Amino acid sequence: MNKVFINGISAISAQDEDIFDTGNFQEFSSSIVKAKDQDYKAVIKPMMLRRMSQAVKMGLYCSKKALTEAGIIQPGAIIIGTGQGCIQDTEKFMQSMIESEEGLLAPTSFIQSTHNTVGGQIALELNCNSYNMTYTQNSGSFESALLDSLMLINTGEETTVLVGGVDETSPAFTGFQVLDGQICKEQISGPDLLKKDTPGTMISESASFFVLDAKKQEKSYACVRDVCLKNRIQKQEPEQLILEFLKSNELDISEIDAVILGNNGDCRYDGYYSGIQEAIFSKTAQLAYKHLVGDNHSISAYAMWLGARIIAENRIPEAFQINHVTCDKIDKVLIYNQYLGKNHGLILLEKP
Amino acid sequence: MCAVAVTGMGIVSSLGKNLFENYQSLNTGKTGISTPEILQTNYKDLPVGEIKINNTRLSNDLGLNPGHSYTRAALLGCMAVRELLHNSGLSEFDPGTGFISGTTVGGMDMTESFFDQFSENSENLRYIQAQHPGFTTEKIAAYFGLNAMVTTISTACSSSANAIMLGARLIESGRLKRVIVGGTDCLTRFTLNGFNSLKILSGETCKPFDENRNGLNLGEAAAYLLLEADEMKGNRPAIARISGYGNANDAFHQTASSQNGEGAYLAMKKAIEKAGVDPVNINYINAHGTGTGNNDLSESVAIKRVFGDHIPEFSSTKALTGHTLGAAGAVEAVISIMAIQNQEVFPNLNFSQPIRDTGLMPETKLHSKQLNYVLSNSFGFGGNCTSLIFRNE
Amino acid sequence: MNDLHTELKKSIIDQLNLEDMDVSDIENDEPLFGDGLGLDSIDALELIVLLEKDYGIKLEDPNQGKEIFNSINSMVDFIEKNRTK
């Protein structure tokens, strides 16, 4: 079975990518947070860029950066995870349809509303005829994409896969998430988000892309050892899920050096994490990230970006750590995420 | 080589609410295309493949309490999976059973109905999450208590073909032993207006592969297959096997297919290679054949590139079912398996004159034929092209 | 250059999101598609909508667009002859 190396990475989020180096982070005065703007014109042709929504721009930008870093021109597969897809164009088309009462409608936003627009645009830009897939399973979207990627490389079907998670916000659709309590009424970001005892969280935009390869490079960040996706478990069950997952990889809990958790300050569901934080990870370095970059359906891809850099640099930036366990040698990192108690994902990274 | 067993299936489409009714319609060439009665739209004269059972009746049939939050695509999905369970020889799904569903718009029917009313009535809030496709998939999963691996593929009109491919790969890799794969999509104003804005809807029943074809008819459907590892199957019969699959990207245009059908060509070629058969062994192609000028020409060119002088018998069944978008791949997988079970080729309706540039003639009459290998094509926006090959057990 | 030329250029820039362009960047006889301005088939559909919305001209056959959308001049000619508003 071929190993899977991460040879190129790129992330866009509400924070600068150098948060890892400087530790400087921004706090926000809204519970809906946009991604940091990038110099999109530098990598995307203006005639292409003019129609692109945030998700497409971010996806294409990160893809190009990650591919360049890995020295890959054409990947053997392009696999995207996006929970909400292209909601900006969906919203635009739906609004004009409703306002015009099904009148005369321009087609561009409809064309770009399909969930596989990001994957399709990357293929178009790279002129890449390879396997192209898009997963849209709420917070399990990126894990689904990663599982597909691992199967392709493990079996030797493909050697190089471009995989990414991307989600954007849009005024009406994201606004609805305030109405049903997914987004909290308070405007808290930073470490305090994780301490609040109210429902809801901070929702954001992000894109994190990776070039996975069967071949190790000198600068390979990490290996993706395994991934697991489980739709529904009870609050006391993450422990068993994690232990079984580690066992199937012939690992013991003590071998995990750092765990990256999806705590998002939603008092209704953070219990999924607090149980294991006390029970099985009390001696493990614990990290969180949603207080800095917010939550969305593919944000666990950002956690993988974080985990890959932690392993590559053997260092945990202070802004992300939520306990005081120190760790000299970081070989194995586990990522656990869920949203609203569903779509539980585990990703296991290790030193290449 | 791949040989994943298909041990059950279920379908609801404009041709009927179960396998038997669908087969009857395919057999008699009775189209499911009509005009919208359940979908509330201004386009009352546009032909669609609508299932003439409203949400209340579907909910009652499924025993759901009023106040539930099932989208129409979820209700249709539950109908199809229930039939699959009944004819799979299982009494229930075991806890490890996976569920992979393909859809284009998921619960958009609810989003468009409540878009202006979410803030007005707290009862509507339960449909806020319906905007993302995973919501509809989870509703179906919850109805059958499927808690293990659940995921959704959304690659436009190839979505459920890709779900079937992923299921086969999960079984082959040993990651799953049993998985329900397929897809569901309902008619929505969003898609009807969208395809209308692209000017590719026909005002009459579509004419796949005809020189004078003038567009597609949208449809709605749900269809699922049960895939199993042989050790799980025991003595229960396989109704067919998935023997090959392939996905490729046309990388040509956001919606249109390339003139040389590159994506389609590569997908068919990959599927045939995976099946380990010679192209001459493919006995029948259930084509994507939407009835648009662009698709049918591009697909014809691709078929000619793959099969050369030995073009297998082929037909598009979309003049019967309509184009059911994300569900189309699964609907046509069920039709392909019915073709194998009955050793029959189903007709391509409304054909009279071959496309001038390619001259290909689809099968227009129902007839018996020995079918060992059937290839099914599904192509979508974003250049997404998938081919599946089913073989006779 | 009459007002219709300018008006049309403005609405094309707006409708097709040609953000970095100005009216003066589009020549009256420059091809709109291909090597000229570089518009594509999605833009052609947008232009059909523009004709109907702004000038009350309904193109039944999208293929008609090929000649009409050749340049700003050809569009202006067509609009002047066929506009209903």
Side-chain angles (χ1 to χ4, degrees), chain A residues 241-260:
Chain A
L241 182 74
I242 290 168
L243 293 178
E244 278 172 13
F245 175 69
L246 293 180
K247 198 176 160 199
S248 70
N249 283 288
E250 293 164 346
L251 286 176
D252 185 77
I253 195 84
S254 61
E255 291 172 87
I256 300 298
D257 304 299
V259 61
I260 305 177

Side-chain angles (χ1 to χ4, degrees), chain A residues 26-34 184-190 202:
Chain A
Q26 204 180 325
E27 298 209 31
F28 309 103
S29 55
S30 165
S31 322
I32 299 171
V33 191
K34 294 266 174 205
C184 60
K185 304 267 191 295
E186 315 87 314
Q187 285 156 5
I188 311 176
S189 77
M202 171 171 86

